Amino acid sequence: MTTFDPMQLANVGVRNLQPYQAGKPIEELERELGIRDIIKLASNENPLGLSSKVRAALQDTLAGLARYPDANGFYLKSKLAKKFALDTAQITLGNGSNDVLELIARTFVNAEHEVIYSQHAFVVYPLVTQAIGAKGVAVPARDYGHDLDAMLAAITAKTRMIFIANPNNPTGTFLTTEAIAAFLAKVPENVLIVLDEAYSEYVSEAERAPSFRWVQQYPNLVVSRTFSKAYGLAGLRAGYMVSHPAIADLMNRARQPFNMNSLSLRAAEVALDDDDYLQQSVAVNEAGMQQLVNFCEQHGLPYIPSRGNFLTIEVGENAGEIYQQLLHAGIIVRPVAGYELPRHLRVSIGLPEENEAFIQAMKEIIANLCKSSR
Ligand SMILES: Cc1ncc(COP(=O)(O)O)c(C=O)c1O
């Protein structure tokens, strides 16, 4: 009999790892329930779909796909550098920002270190920390958001990295420029601060932190952004990190040589110039957010005020049941019990008619739950 046991061979951190739980794909629900016309409001994607400019650029790129992509992403880095007044040597490209978030941890953190993040913060931070075998320190949230004072107090001699999501997913909570600036000034230089700004484009320019400028001032600060949300390229996988050039140089050594493909590189270049699409994304999001907020207020449902492209609603102890009933109504939202929010559901902002379909389904579900509890 074989005694082969891969579990014993695996790295300790990986043995206890729970895989990332993605939003349920539309095709999966179609297969499971045999229903069509499903509305997915589960993964904070852009409801506008691909812009026509990106679609055309992708078509043009097809002919070159037998060749490897540009491993250094010259054109995309140049465009990013020009748009945000950066040096190309500060930029690390990634297969989505997830890739660079993992890369920065793999480059700097080992099993001896501690990594700080907030309770209810994006799940990838504990996942990468655990995979490395480092000690994760989850700091209790304040009003569902990052408690920066408590995070500062959690720094020890072993702390190597602090993750901060602004706005945060799945809570949508937001830290002001002043709050982050005060925090940065107090973190020791041997602790890297990862500021994850995946939802930055949904924040008004007046309120958006000057994070890329801060990178000049604080060499231990790195900032990640993505093309998956407001730029509408989630399926292509495109993201980047802005850092001190020496940090980018180290990450460049540890990354996969072709971590962005030819299609995602080209799509991101075009998307970056497509201001009309970006503005429309933000406008659709603001209107949809208002639609959902109005519904919550009319029905006395508490929600966490959100600065992202999603709203996390406290539906109560029946959250799991409501999620299931929404699935049967053809609407996929996101349970967030894994984020220590068992009474909430996270709903991505969709097109007006998609939001309306969610609202109508919720009204019915709530009415039925009230009836059955009588
Ligand atoms: C806070 C935050 N950071 C990073 C990501 C990663 O996105 P991507 O890898 O698509 O860039 C997400 C995705 O949902 C997110 O919510």
Side-chain angles (χ1 to χ4, degrees):
M1 219 172 53
T2 175
T3 53
F4 180 66
D5 183 3
M7 189 57 106
Q8 296 309 316
L9 304 178
N11 291 333
V12 176
V14 176
R15 284 184 215 167
N16 301 318
L17 216 52
Q18 293 299 318
Y20 177 79
Q21 294 282 327
K24 196 178 200 44
I26 289 177
E27 296 76 11
E28 189 176 300
L29 188 61
E30 279 177 353
R31 279 197 307 276
E32 286 173 1
L33 298 185
I35 54 175
R36 304 231 141 245
D37 300 325
I38 289 164
I39 295 171
K40 184 178 176 216
L41 302 174
S43 300
N44 303 342
E45 295 146 341
N46 193 319
L48 293 177
L50 268 194
S51 78
S52 51
K53 286 183 187 159
V54 169
R55 199 178 288 266
L58 290 174
Q59 197 66 39
D60 290 347
T61 311
L62 293 180
L65 288 187
R67 300 202 180 276
Y68 281 101
D70 172 4
N72 290 314
F74 175 84
Y75 291 110
L76 179 56
K77 281 190 189 170
S78 305
K79 270 215 151 90
L80 285 166
K82 189 153 175 237
K83 182 164 175 131
F84 296 116
L86 300 163
D87 189 323
T88 52
Q90 292 181 271
I91 303 169
T92 304
L93 301 178
N95 185 36
S97 60
N98 222 306
D99 186 29
V100 284
L101 290 168
E102 192 189 326
L103 185 57
I104 187 85
R106 276 201 291 115
T107 306
F108 289 97
V109 178
N110 66 38
E112 310 292 305
H113 294 135
E114 292 174 1
V115 175
I116 297 175
Y117 39 80
S118 176
Q119 180 192 20
H120 312 312
F122 186 44
V123 67
V124 163
Y125 316 149
L127 275 183
V128 299
T129 303
Q130 198 182 327
I132 291 166
K135 181 176 169 202
V137 180
V139 173
R142 195 194 319 164
D143 296 333
Y144 295 109
H146 294 63
D147 182 342
L148 292 182
D149 290 334
M151 291 177 85
L152 271 177
I155 295 175
T156 71
K158 290 188 171 176
T159 306
R160 175 53 56 87
M161 191 164 280
I162 304 176
F163 282 105
I164 292 176
N166 200 41
N168 181 44
N169 168 27
T171 56
T173 46
F174 180 66
L175 294 161
T176 63
T177 295
E178 295 69 37
I180 304 177
F183 176 80
L184 293 177
K186 291 183 199 146
V187 176
E189 216 174 66
N190 63 338
V191 175
L192 292 176
I193 306 143
V194 181
L195 186 56
D196 174 351
E197 295 188 331
Y199 301 94
S200 157
E201 294 79 10
Y202 296 109
V203 175
S204 72
E205 259 180 68
E207 286 183 289
R208 201 175 298 152
S211 46
F212 292 162
R213 260 191 285 133
W214 280 338
V215 171
Q216 316 282 352
Q217 195 181 343
Y218 300 103
N220 55 331
L221 172 68
V222 305
V223 180
S224 64
R225 296 229 182 137
T226 184
F227 287 93
S228 299
K229 311 296 174 188
Y231 288 103
L233 304 183
L236 278 159
R237 315 303 301 129
Y240 59 99
M241 188 163 270
V242 173
S243 68
H244 188 284
I247 290 182
D249 173 47
L250 287 160
M251 287 170 71
N252 193 37
R253 299 175 198 199
R255 78 179 169 96
Q256 273 189 48
F258 302 105
N259 61 342
M260 274 190 76
N261 64 63
S262 307
L263 291 170
S264 58
L265 282 168
R266 185 73 194 117
E269 280 168 41
V270 172
L272 206 54
D273 279 342
D274 200 346
D275 290 335
D276 291 346
Y277 179 88
L278 193 63
Q279 275 172 21
Q280 205 191 340
S281 298
V282 173
V284 164
N285 191 60
E286 277 174 11
M289 182 70 81
Q290 198 54 55
Q291 215 179 335
L292 291 193
V293 163
N294 289 347
F295 160 70
C296 290
E297 301 211 327
Q298 279 157 13
H299 288 78
L301 284 176
Y303 59 90
I304 308 172
S306 167
R307 306 303 292 272
N309 63 348
F310 54 88
L311 188 67
T312 296
I313 304 173
E314 188 177 346
V315 295
E317 61 191 357
N318 293 321
E321 172 64 19
I322 294 174
Y323 168 69
Q324 289 298 334
Q325 291 199 25
L326 283 168
L327 289 182
H328 281 85
I331 297 168
I332 313 174
V333 298
R334 190 70 158 263
V336 280
Y339 283 95
E340 296 182 42
L341 295 167
R343 298 170 56 84
H344 290 73
L345 291 174
R346 193 194 69 191
V347 187
S348 303
I349 306 298
L351 297 173
E353 58 274 23
E354 295 174 323
N355 304 327
E356 190 51 35
F358 163 77
I359 289 169
Q360 290 310 325
M362 277 299 285
K363 283 183 184 170
E364 248 176 68
I365 293 168
I366 293 170
N368 287 337
L369 282 174
C370 285
K371 259 190 243 155
S372 62
S373 69
R374 268 192 221 128

